[in-house]
Amino acid sequence: MLLIFDCDGVLVDSEVLSCRIDAEILTEMGVPYTAEDIARQFVGVSLKDQIARIEAERGCTIPADFSKRLNHALFERFETELQPVPGVREAILSLPYPRCVASSSTPERIALSLRVTGLSDLFEHVFSATEVACGKPAPDLFLHAAAQMGANPRDCVVIEDSSAGVQAAIAAGMRVIGFIGGGHCGPEHREKLRAAGAPVVIERMSELPEIIQQLISPHP
């Protein structure tokens, strides 16, 4: 059994901050977005895929320094404001299974997020969408993580907060648990994850150990 955790919105409560900053910088560059637009369209999507979609949909060219400006602003805010998802450390420590992180974010952002929230020591293995050809909702990242960890996809459980992540896990042939405890999750988020294919959705990390046990227990 391998547990694969998304980072943003699952381990760290970063999505509200990142969506706000993302929208501010795009708007300053002449491509107006609101934080709500970003949350609705791009949560769980890699930055590379986000830029490609914006350029295609808006018929524009995103300035080459967008990634640099975004990361600078994000990292500055993360250092002082980023918090772990409540209860996530305790939930992870109660689960006696191999685990890793597989995130759409860059390696630098993942490392910073885990460091400032005090979660770095929980994960020896961290995988980024920058390591694969296609980000979520394609299965590439999760399949890459499983291969690197020596796990069969059918023996993996993914914990995800985004529709793209849920779809990626299912496409990879893995079991998936939806999580809606992040600050960016509105009242409609549970149904969004269910519509994406998550058979079970939890609101608190304290629920995770019991759900994992139910998933791996043989059915009568």
Side-chain angles (χ1 to χ4, degrees):
M1 173 65 62
L2 173 66
L3 304 181
I4 303 179
F5 290 84
D6 180 39
C7 184
D8 297 290
V10 171
L11 299 175
V12 301
D13 202 3
S14 56
E15 295 292 16
V16 171
L17 276 175
S18 60
C19 289
R20 185 184 308 139
I21 293 168
D22 203 338
E24 288 172 359
I25 293 175
L26 283 168
T27 301
E28 289 170 4
M29 290 179 164
V31 187
Y33 275 90
T34 66
E36 291 74 20
D37 293 333
I38 298 296
R40 184 174 62 254
Q41 298 180 48
F42 301 118
V43 163
V45 175
S46 71
L47 187 59
K48 177 181 70 174
D49 290 343
Q50 177 186 338
I51 291 171
R53 281 172 52 182
I54 290 173
E55 291 182 333
E57 292 170 6
R58 297 290 184 95
C60 65
T61 299
I62 299 297
D65 67 342
F66 171 61
S67 298
K68 183 177 180 180
R69 287 178 60 182
L70 179 62
N71 283 336
H72 176 76
L74 277 174
F75 290 6
E76 194 172 67
R77 295 283 291 277
F78 279 12
E79 286 282 3
T80 58
E81 298 182 37
L82 188 61
Q83 297 293 320
V85 164
V88 70
R89 183 178 185 84
E90 294 79 7
I92 290 172
L93 288 174
S94 73
L95 293 163
Y97 307 107
R99 55 184 178 261
C100 65
V101 177
S103 168
S104 294
S105 293
T106 63
E108 296 79 12
R109 174 171 164 176
I110 301 167
L112 173 68
S113 296
L114 297 178
R115 175 178 62 78
V116 300
T117 55
L119 301 176
S120 295
D121 64 304
L122 298 180
F123 297 98
E124 291 183 21
H125 305 282
V126 175
F127 305 100
S128 163
T130 59
E131 300 170 42
V132 296
C134 299
K136 306 169 189 178
D140 302 31
L141 178 58
F142 290 141
L143 292 173
H144 172 67
Q148 293 298 308
M149 297 290 289
N152 190 306
R154 68 171 178 266
D155 295 326
C156 298
V157 176
V158 176
I159 299 90
E160 263 287 355
D161 71 306
S162 72
S163 297
V166 169
Q167 291 165 357
I170 292 171
M174 300 176 180
R175 286 168 284 185
V176 60
I177 297 170
F179 179 68
I180 57 169
H184 65 294
C185 297
E188 77 293 342
H189 208 77
R190 182 184 297 272
E191 288 309 315
K192 283 177 62 177
L193 297 189
R194 283 181 171 161
V200 59
V201 179
I202 62 173
E203 189 172 352
R204 294 176 297 277
M205 274 297 164
S206 59
E207 301 172 65
L208 186 61
E210 182 179 352
I211 295 298
I212 294 288
Q213 194 58 44
Q214 290 174 7
L215 284 176
I216 66 173
S217 296
H219 294 289

